[in-house]
Amino acid sequence: MLTVEKIGGTSMTALHDVLKNIIFFNRSGDELYNRIFVVSAFSGVTNLLLENKKTGAPGVYHLIANYQDFHSALNDLIVQLQNLNKNYVDLGLDLAAADQFIEKRVRDAQNYLENLVNILASGYVSQEGILQAAREILASIGETHSAFNFTNILQDKGINAICIDLSGFDDHQSYTIDQRIKEAFKNIDFGKTICIVTGYAKGTEGIMREFDRGYSEVTFSKIAVAVKPQEAIIHKEYHLCTADPMLVGLEHCKPVGFTNYDVADQLADVGMEAIHPKASKPLEINNINLRIKNTFEPEHPGTLITQDYISGEKRVEVITGTEKVLIIDIYDPLMVGNVGSDLQIMQVFFGHGVSYSFKATSANSISVVIWEKDFKQKLIDELEEKFEKVTVEKAAMVCIIGSNIDQPGLLARSATGLANEGINIKSCGFSLRKVNIQFVVAREDFAKSIIALNKAMFF
């Protein structure tokens, strides 16, 4: 059967395990083919190119954005990527070819970036558009590097592998992303070929403009929709588990096994992405099943996400959350019986481009939870102009999620589990569909809350 598979950055860095556990595991001969692999950059490379995803530490992009010299940073980048190449020589990588490839690619990118910087310095064009183009050019380097190396290694092992570079460095066609994908795959015999595809795809719409660092999963999703595989698979360095093993311990969690795209959306909403939500929608609409597998446990089937799965028994499937949120409480005595207070508040949020992940109301106050990274003082200033009192607190949100959790006593059991550990609930809520019960707690209680809920639900 034809599969489209995505390999994440941490897994790509462990190419020894990828070969053993993904490419060759229980396969030989013609069984190796009918597979399309969409690859991320090696772990940490995109952080060097753009910025550190977790800490925000600046990469090459920020030198360009701040009108600083970026040439020495690109020189250092070449050295770092060529040093990375040495890690894969024992797998059969042609080191000279790999080093030559990445140096040429970075130099080509440098030429493009120099032209962009010159145009930017002229003052005749929009800064936003030019910087977005610079971001796209830089991002593409990481995936072309890993895709070239992976393809070269497979070819060395006698496998008919081809590298499909969607970055568009070698052409100037005005393709949309979908058109570029269609063009790239139109003459390939999948039954006799392994395709290694860059996670970055160039298109007239700009893949990072809308999806930013989630772009490789969007490429993966678009390819799956284009070729209609029997299954789409994402290989990660961990299972999609009932709770974070780093918090609750490996012995106190297990792979979810089966769930649906609705649950995947709930997970993404609190930052535990099985897949980027804008990548999952096309798969769901086209009824393409998605499997999440652990690269380092190849014998385990992982977790299958489908459109219509509903658990046969009422159960919680995942306990998760985030400690990177703020709760904003807007109070005004004039809200009582007043039509449109909520609308006024949401218009302020919309005007500042801030989305929320939780909202609760009372007669004269509305509490809204947002990501801390989205906080803007101007948002608070405008709310304070319109309402009597606005309070902002650092907080955490913990959730119990599942495809069939509607059962008497679940809320009571959850609240009791938190209370038994001395955890105060600041706010809580769930929609009528009852797939996600959310608790807002003090930030310092986050880890303790996950452990408490895990204990209350599963033990």
Side-chain angles (χ1 to χ4, degrees):
M1 69 176 186
L2 177 64
T3 58
V4 175
E5 310 183 33
K6 161 95 170 38
I7 305 179
T10 302
S11 294
M12 279 300 296
T13 301
L15 268 181
H16 300 72
D17 295 289
V18 168
L19 290 171
K20 180 178 68 175
N21 298 341
I22 298 176
I23 299 298
F24 292 113
F25 185 74
N26 287 340
R27 292 173 185 263
S28 61
D30 290 344
E31 295 171 332
L32 295 169
Y33 301 113
N34 265 317
R35 305 176 84 185
I36 299 169
F37 290 97
V38 180
V39 300
S40 294
F42 292 119
S43 182
V45 171
T46 308
N47 288 342
L48 296 174
L49 291 161
L50 302 178
E51 64 278 318
N52 189 294
K53 193 173 182 179
K54 292 183 178 179
T55 68
V60 178
Y61 167 76
H62 291 269
L63 295 174
I64 296 170
N66 291 305
Y67 298 92
Q68 296 175 304
D69 179 67
F70 59 90
H71 294 82
S72 59
L74 288 181
N75 291 335
D76 291 342
L77 177 72
I78 291 171
V79 173
Q80 288 173 288
L81 297 186
Q82 289 179 338
N83 282 334
L84 191 57
N85 289 345
K86 295 175 184 175
N87 295 334
Y88 307 112
V89 172
D90 64 327
L91 293 179
L93 179 67
D94 183 336
L95 186 60
D99 285 354
Q100 183 180 11
F101 172 83
I102 195 56
E103 180 162 11
K104 182 179 186 305
R105 181 51 57 98
V106 173
R107 294 305 178 204
D108 287 345
Q110 180 177 313
N111 289 335
Y112 286 136
L113 293 168
E114 286 170 347
N115 290 334
L116 289 178
V117 167
N118 289 335
I119 293 170
L120 190 61
S122 73
Y124 286 110
V125 294
S126 161
Q127 183 186 53
E128 181 182 356
I130 293 295
L131 290 179
Q132 188 62 54
R135 197 167 175 81
E136 300 252 348
I137 291 166
L138 286 166
S140 71
I141 294 171
E143 277 79 17
T144 53
H145 175 227
S146 60
F148 178 91
N149 285 10
F150 195 12
T151 306
N152 185 272
I153 290 167
L154 292 176
Q155 290 172 345
D156 176 75
K157 298 185 180 305
I159 295 173
N160 184 32
I162 62 169
C163 181
I164 298 179
D165 185 354
L166 298 177
S167 68
F169 259 63
D170 298 324
D171 74 69
H172 302 285
Q173 298 291 333
S174 296
Y175 290 134
T176 65
I177 296 167
D178 290 333
Q179 288 170 338
R180 185 174 295 280
I181 288 170
K182 182 179 179 181
E183 183 71 17
F185 286 97
K186 68 180 182 181
N187 295 320
I188 295 175
D189 182 352
F190 298 123
K192 298 179 180 179
T193 312
I194 284 183
C195 301
I196 308 300
V197 191
T198 58
Y200 172 85
K202 176 184 172 184
T204 52
E205 64 270 50
I207 198 168
M208 294 193 71
R209 186 174 293 114
E210 186 173 357
F211 307 111
D212 200 54
R213 296 288 286 269
Y215 61 83
S216 62
E217 289 188 354
V218 174
T219 301
F220 159 76
S221 173
K222 284 180 174 291
I223 291 170
V225 170
V227 303
K228 300 292 189 295
Q230 278 68 40
E231 194 168 272
I233 303 170
I234 296 180
H235 299 276
K236 293 179 177 281
E237 66 273 21
Y238 47 79
H239 282 294
L240 178 60
C241 286
T242 51
D244 185 348
M246 298 296 290
L247 291 177
V248 304
L250 274 172
E251 69 278 14
H252 293 139
C253 64
K254 61 182 181 180
V256 173
F258 297 92
T259 192
N260 61 35
Y261 280 108
D262 191 351
V263 168
D265 288 344
Q266 307 302 321
L267 296 175
D269 199 42
V270 288
M272 183 184 172
E273 288 185 4
I275 182 173
H276 192 288
K278 290 185 178 178
S280 69
K281 281 303 122 187
L283 298 178
E284 181 179 2
I285 291 168
N286 286 274
N287 201 24
I288 299 171
N289 295 342
L290 172 67
R291 190 179 297 274
I292 309 296
K293 285 188 60 97
N294 184 333
T295 300
F296 307 102
E297 284 190 46
E299 68 286 346
H300 197 289
T303 295
L304 186 66
I305 302 173
T306 65
Q307 189 180 54
D308 53 7
Y309 173 82
I310 300 293
S311 174
E313 58 178 307
K314 294 186 182 298
R315 67 186 180 103
V316 173
E317 291 168 15
V318 185
I319 293 166
T320 187
T322 177
E323 56 186 331
K324 299 177 181 178
V325 295
L326 302 174
I327 184 166
I328 303 173
D329 186 74
I330 303 103
Y331 164 82
D332 198 303
L334 297 179
M335 283 187 190
V336 181
N338 181 46
V339 175
S341 295
D342 193 356
L343 174 62
Q344 275 186 283
I345 291 170
M346 290 300 99
Q347 284 175 331
V348 175
F349 276 78
F350 178 79
H352 290 275
V354 177
S355 182
Y356 69 91
S357 52
F358 172 92
K359 183 168 65 172
T361 67
S362 68
N364 53 19
S365 70
I366 296 177
S367 298
V368 180
V369 172
I370 68 168
W371 287 97
E372 187 170 21
K373 64 182 175 58
D374 294 334
F375 174 79
K376 298 175 182 178
Q377 185 58 46
K378 289 182 179 179
L379 167 72
I380 305 303
D381 294 342
E382 187 171 346
L383 288 171
E384 288 178 334
E385 289 174 5
K386 298 177 184 293
F387 301 96
E388 184 169 309
K389 185 178 180 182
V390 178
T391 304
V392 181
E393 289 184 25
K394 292 182 178 181
M397 187 161 61
V398 292
C399 311
I400 53 176
I401 300 171
S403 60
N404 185 9
I405 65 172
D406 187 12
Q407 54 184 290
L410 181 62
L411 181 59
R413 186 151 48 106
S414 305
T416 300
L418 293 171
N420 287 342
E421 300 300 325
I423 299 165
N424 186 45
I425 300 170
K426 291 180 175 289
S427 187
C428 75
F430 52 89
S431 68
L432 186 63
R433 296 181 60 250
K434 296 185 179 70
V435 293
N436 182 2
I437 299 179
Q438 300 166 298
F439 298 92
V440 181
V441 298
R443 183 171 291 184
E444 58 269 23
D445 288 335
F446 173 69
K448 192 163 65 167
S449 298
I450 294 289
I451 296 168
L453 287 174
N454 191 61
K455 181 179 177 181
M457 293 302 108
F458 298 124
F459 299 98

